């Protein structure tokens, strides 16, 4: 999954680098209050967890395995902005401490795995939560769906990036099909693990789930004389309704991703379908070697192989974010004006 | 300002997940006393000590009520930095306490937050590490230390703040016998008020003349450690058991 | 893996490269990789020179060649991808031993392999000569936002703790007769990972409590004591600047 140096051309790497830097800066600002309340330690531990879990492989089928990316999960647990920071931290440590993922490709990796999975995942979570009953438990199916969707979308973004900045022309329609098809399977695994993790957290510490903070029931407190009273639970960080901003951003992302993929399948195709299939299956099979979880970081790197497809979306995402942020800005200006008028 | 080191009155607390841990706790600890806090798992001991420097409880914005005085003055949000210097908390798992890249960074964390810099800070770190005999390990990363060494460094991180009250959560857990004795030597040589959560009853008898027994979020007994441990009925009612062959009436304790 | 996850790839030794301040090495790595990436794939002599520079670095840093080779394994997924490229790429084709390959695919394959490998080896030189703490101090010196440095520092500190938890859970699973295989695998892993999350999260809370107990008010102490001297910058960047010269020459001469 981790894109190495030189995989995409220089402009693409620079563009995604700018997107990543902007996203991290923006997230730092947005997550500032959360991090002051819960401490950087919590974010650091979440990052260490994501790092460790990315080393655990699960079987995807056809003798191959995948591993958790954790974007949607992190978004549900610590909120979207902290999650972007967590995922970026993981990628930075992998790049600098473990030489995994090129330094010039760091922006690409953060954009694909840190930004897209988190934002898409969180958008799905918020949307689904609107529909489901207002209970803490609803966050489990919502996040499961978020995890399922986020992985193929990241794969699509990778294809989009490849269309723009790939070093070699390969039939994009086939690339998109192979990437997305493959990552739907990986997304299924991601969804199952995400569901299990969230169920465990909701069962033991429901107050920890950021996406469900607003769904917590009130507390009953018994005082020293045995009288009970109802108090509202300690809610250090109420989930802020960032839904609209985020929603617009994601809608734009999906739109652009969709357009890119349409463009991709319309691309002239000089290759036999079977060849592509063979090629990608070959790539996939190799990774099956890495069966044992956490055997060694090097080996787990191979575990990434089958996922090797999943790379990053470049300019499409840049444009997407720019469009999304602009729309969100306009929307929030409008709504604040409307508030004043009312 | 004088008064008891710790005074707690009618303390009630529930966690944000709805679990109520304290149901009205009262006790007072005088300056220089050494007190063991005993009780079965889930009695609320750790929750209680986290109140003593204002990490949990209404001061920190949590759900609860009651009154806590440290050194004779009420716990207030404005006093928290001062209270956190006075009351040093050593956590049960040293990995929770040692969060910086090296031992030196970690011991310096507290004093640096108190405003110490440069040579003063350096001297304070050295002093604390000498107190626990770890001065030769200052540049080591915590995960390269043995468990017993980590526990000692954890104590040093708190001593570096020169606390008036030292609160320890199960200091002897997971230590081998030699590390356990070394830690007892360090603790008995300190000139502070000591409150120590422990399941290690001989350790309580060795170090603390007085004990509080806690169960179901309340203090159920308060007296001399020897008397408490000798009361077979009280002990079994609260799931406490002495080690095989240990007779609290026949071993020397800290009383003089 | 030798050592624990908390040490990264550090190889303890004393060399000129080990002694350089981390911020110098990070900048040098970045410049070097940038030079490599911007070199056209067809200028083969430039890549040979880059390779020679890196080999020199590995020798200077006293890194065992075997260790470097082993760590190249992270690159495997992309080697596979690169090897597939000649078969799937479009454009004019060439016959090699009776197999039809795409010309641009072959060149692209070489491009990914050469640049990727050089990048990984350069990154290995950095991570093998710089301890985690030094790296954090270097990033702090390079003005990485302090919140990010703090998160990074906690992550690095607790990597080994969390990984050990995971390892223990795996051993517990296997010692109860679990041997892998598909059925139930996902379920077993997922359950374990859920428990691991709660553990990690609660540890994060306890660490924050421990920090507050020692007077934390939102600002972490600085890790770096002093900046790098000019001599050190010159020394550290020398190889990267050589790479830049090669890259520029390749552009001018190669095209």
């Amino acid at each position: 999954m981790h894109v190495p140096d030189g995989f995409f051309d220089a402009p693409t790497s620079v563009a995604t680098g700018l997107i990543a830097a902007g996203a991290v800066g923006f997230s730092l600002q947005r997550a500032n209050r959360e991090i002051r309340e819960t401490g950087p330690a919590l974010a650091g531990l979440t990052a260490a967890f994501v790092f460790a879990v990315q080393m655990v492989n699960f079987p995807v089928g056809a003798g191959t395995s995948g591993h958790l990316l954790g974007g949607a999960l992190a978004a549900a647990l610590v909120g979207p902005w902290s999650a972007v920071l967590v995922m970026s931290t993981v990628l930075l440590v992998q790049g600098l401490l473990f030489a995994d993922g090129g330094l010039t490709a760091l922006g690409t990796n953060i954009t694909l795995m840190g930004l897209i999975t988190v934002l898409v995942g969180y958008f799905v979570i918020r949307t689904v939560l609107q529909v489901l009953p207002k209970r803490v438990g609803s966050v489990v199916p919502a996040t499961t769906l978020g995890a399922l969707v986020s992985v193929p979308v990241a794969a699509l973004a990778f294809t989009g990036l490849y269309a723009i900045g790939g070093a070699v022309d390969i039939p994009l329609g086939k690339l998109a099909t192979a990437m997305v098809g493959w990552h739907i399977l990986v997304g299924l695994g991601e969804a199952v693990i995400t569901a299990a993790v969230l169920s465990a957290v909701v069962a033991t510490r429901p107050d920890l789930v950021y996406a469900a903070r607003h769904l917590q029931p009130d507390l009953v407190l018994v005082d020293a004389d045995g009288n009970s009273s109802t108090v509202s639970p300690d809610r250090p960080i109420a989930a802020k309704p960032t839904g609209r901003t985020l929603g617009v951003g994601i809608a734009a992302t999906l739109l652009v991703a969709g357009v890119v993929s349409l463009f991709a399948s319309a691309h002239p195709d000089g290759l036999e379908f079977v060849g592509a299939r063979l090629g990608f299956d070959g790539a996939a099979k190799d990774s099956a070697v890495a069966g044992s979880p956490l055997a060694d970081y090097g080996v787990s790197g191979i575990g990434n192989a089958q996922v090797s497809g999943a790379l990053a979306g470049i300019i499409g995402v840049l444009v997407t974010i720019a469009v999304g942020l602009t729309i969100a800005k306009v929307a929030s200006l409008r709504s604040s004006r409307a508030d004043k008028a009312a | 300002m004088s008064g008891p080191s710790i005074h707690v009155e009618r303390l009630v607390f529930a966690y944000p997940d709805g679990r109520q841990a304290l149901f009205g706790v009262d006790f007072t600890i005088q300056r220089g006393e050494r007190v063991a806090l005993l009780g079965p798992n889930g009695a609320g001991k750790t929750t209680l000590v986290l109140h003593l420097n204002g990490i949990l409880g209404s001061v920190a914005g949590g759900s609860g009520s009651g009154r806590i005085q440290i050194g004779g003055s009420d716990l207030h949000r404005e006093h928290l930095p001062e209270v956190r210097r006075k009351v040093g908390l050593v956590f049960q798992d040293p990995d929770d306490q040692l969060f910086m890249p090296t031992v030196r960074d970690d011991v310096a964390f507290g004093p640096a937050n108190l405003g110490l810099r440069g040579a003063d800070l350096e001297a304070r770190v050295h002093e604390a590490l000498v107190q626990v005999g770890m001065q030769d390990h200052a540049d080591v990363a915590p995960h390269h230390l043995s468990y017993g060494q980590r526990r000692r460094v954890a104590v040093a991180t708190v001593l570096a703040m020169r606390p008036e009250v030292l609160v320890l959560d199960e200091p002897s857990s997971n230590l081998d016998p030699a590390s356990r004795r070394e830690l007892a030597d360090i603790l008995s040589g300190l000139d502070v008020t000591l409150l120590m959560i422990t399941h290690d009853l001989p350790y309580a008898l060795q170090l603390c003349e007085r004990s509080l027994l806690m169960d179901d979020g309340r203090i159920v007994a308060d007296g001399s450690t020897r008397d408490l441990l000798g009361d077979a009925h009280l002990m079994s009612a609260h799931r406490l058991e002495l080690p095989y062959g240990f007779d609290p009436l026949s071993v020397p304790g800290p009383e003089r | 893996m030798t050592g624990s996850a908390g040490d990264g790839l550090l190889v303890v030794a004393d060399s000129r490269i080990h002694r350089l301040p981390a911020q110098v090495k990070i900048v040098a790595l970045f410049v070097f990789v940038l030079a490599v990436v911007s070199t056209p794939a067809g200028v083969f002599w430039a890549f040979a020179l880059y390779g020679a520079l890196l080999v020199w670095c590995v020798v200077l840093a006293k890194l065992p060649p075997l260790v470097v080779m082993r760590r190249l394994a992270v690159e495997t997924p992309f080697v596979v991808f690169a090897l597939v490229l000649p078969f799937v790429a479009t454009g004019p084709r060439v016959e090699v031993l009776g197999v039809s390959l795409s010309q641009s695919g072959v060149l692209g394959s070489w491009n990914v392999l050469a640049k990727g490998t050089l990048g990984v080896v350069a990154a290995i030189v950095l991570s093998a000569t710089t301890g985690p703490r030094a790296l954090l101090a270097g990033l702090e010196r390079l003005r990485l936002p302090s919140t990010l440095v703090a998160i990074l520092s906690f992550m690095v500190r607790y990597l080994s703790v969390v990984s050990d938890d995971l390892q223990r859970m795996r051993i517990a699973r296997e010692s109860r007769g679990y041997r892998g295989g598909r059925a139930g695998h996902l379920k077993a892993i997922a359950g374990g990972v859920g428990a691991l999350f709660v553990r990690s999260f609660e540890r994060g809370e306890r660490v924050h409590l421990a920090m507050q107990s020692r007077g934390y008010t939102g600002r972490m102490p600085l890790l770096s004591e002093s900046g790098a001297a000019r001599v050190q910058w010159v020394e550290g960047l020398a190889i990267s600047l050589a790479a830049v010269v090669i890259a520029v020459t390749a552009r001018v001469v190669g095209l």
Side-chain angles (χ1 to χ4, degrees), chain C residues 108-243:
Chain C
S109 179
W110 154 254
N111 186 46
V112 169
L113 279 179
K115 293 180 180 175
T117 307
L118 289 170
V120 172
V121 174
I124 289 172
V125 172
L126 170 72
S127 53
T129 59
T130 319
R133 188 191 183 282
L135 213 46
L136 290 169
L139 289 171
E140 184 181 88
R141 274 269 150 197
L142 293 173
R143 300 278 182 278
L144 196 74
S146 59
T147 309
L148 217 52
V149 175
I151 299 177
L152 273 169
S153 138
F154 285 109
M155 178 190 169
V156 169
R157 163 67 182 92
Y158 288 104
L159 257 187
S160 56
V161 176
V162 174
S163 303
D164 287 352
D165 276 352
L166 192 63
Q167 186 78 359
R168 272 196 297 275
M169 278 158 38
R170 184 177 65 84
I171 291 169
R173 206 163 58 225
E174 283 173 3
S175 61
R176 279 175 294 181
Y178 171 82
R179 246 183 259 102
R182 211 152 301 155
H185 190 148
L186 202 52
K187 207 171 154 231
I189 291 178
V193 172
L196 183 67
F197 197 94
V198 175
R199 276 200 216 185
S200 308
F201 225 89
E202 292 190 333
R203 187 183 295 280
E205 289 187 310
R206 290 197 305 271
V207 170
H208 188 54
L209 297 182
M211 291 167 68
Q212 288 183 318
S213 299
R214 277 149 66 197
Y216 174 74
T217 51
R219 188 169 306 164
M220 296 292 287
L222 289 182
L223 293 167
S224 48
E225 295 96 23
S226 56
R230 184 162 303 169
V231 191
Q232 290 175 309
W233 278 107
V234 172
E235 187 187 357
L237 287 176
I239 288 180
S240 303
L241 292 177

Side-chain angles (χ1 to χ4, degrees), chain A residues 204-207 216-217 219-226 231-235, chain B residues 10 12-20 22-24 61-65 218:
Chain A
T204 48
R205 294 290 310 274
D207 57 302
Q216 304 254 352
L219 284 183
V220 176
L221 194 66
V222 183
D223 69 14
D225 304 319
V231 291
S232 125
D234 175 10
R235 286 176 187 147
Chain B
R10 298 166 64 84
V12 171
F13 177 76
Y15 279 101
D17 62 358
R19 213 160 26 99
Q20 183 160 350
L22 303 180
F23 291 84
S63 312
S65 61
R218 291 183 183 83

Side-chain angles (χ1 to χ4, degrees), chain A residues 7-201:
Chain A
F7 195 80
F8 290 118
D9 61 20
T12 309
S13 304
V14 172
T16 47
L18 290 176
I19 296 174
V24 169
F26 185 70
S27 302
L28 273 173
Q29 217 174 357
R30 296 301 299 256
N32 196 15
R33 195 164 57 105
E34 289 155 45
I35 288 178
R36 208 174 315 141
E37 296 262 5
T38 59
L42 200 64
L45 258 299
T46 309
F49 164 80
V50 171
F51 183 95
V53 167
Q54 287 197 351
M55 296 196 256
V56 179
N57 292 296
F58 53 77
V60 173
T64 62
S65 62
H67 71 78
L68 192 80
L69 290 182
L73 179 62
L77 286 162
V78 295
W81 309 118
S82 295
V84 169
L85 297 180
V86 163
M87 300 300 288
S88 306
T89 307
V90 170
L91 291 164
L92 193 62
V93 167
Q94 285 169 338
L96 282 180
L97 232 60
F98 294 93
D100 189 5
L103 198 56
T104 57
L106 189 61
T108 311
N109 285 321
I110 290 181
T111 305
L112 283 180
M113 290 185 276
L115 192 58
I116 294 185
T117 57
V118 167
L119 293 188
V120 168
Y122 193 68
F123 170 69
V124 174
I125 294 168
R126 295 292 300 204
T127 312
V128 175
L129 276 182
Q130 310 262 309
V131 186
L132 291 180
K134 302 271 173 271
R135 299 186 283 110
V136 176
S138 298
V139 80
V140 177
T143 310
T144 307
L145 198 64
L148 181 62
V149 174
S150 67
V151 177
V153 171
L156 200 58
F158 168 77
T159 313
L161 280 188
Y162 199 90
I164 298 159
V168 188
D169 278 343
I170 52 178
L172 290 170
K174 300 292 178 265
L175 180 62
T177 314
M179 286 294 294
V180 173
W182 178 254
H183 283 90
I184 286 174
L185 293 179
V186 175
L188 279 173
E190 173 111 3
V192 172
I193 293 193
T194 300
V197 172
L198 263 185
S199 312
V201 179

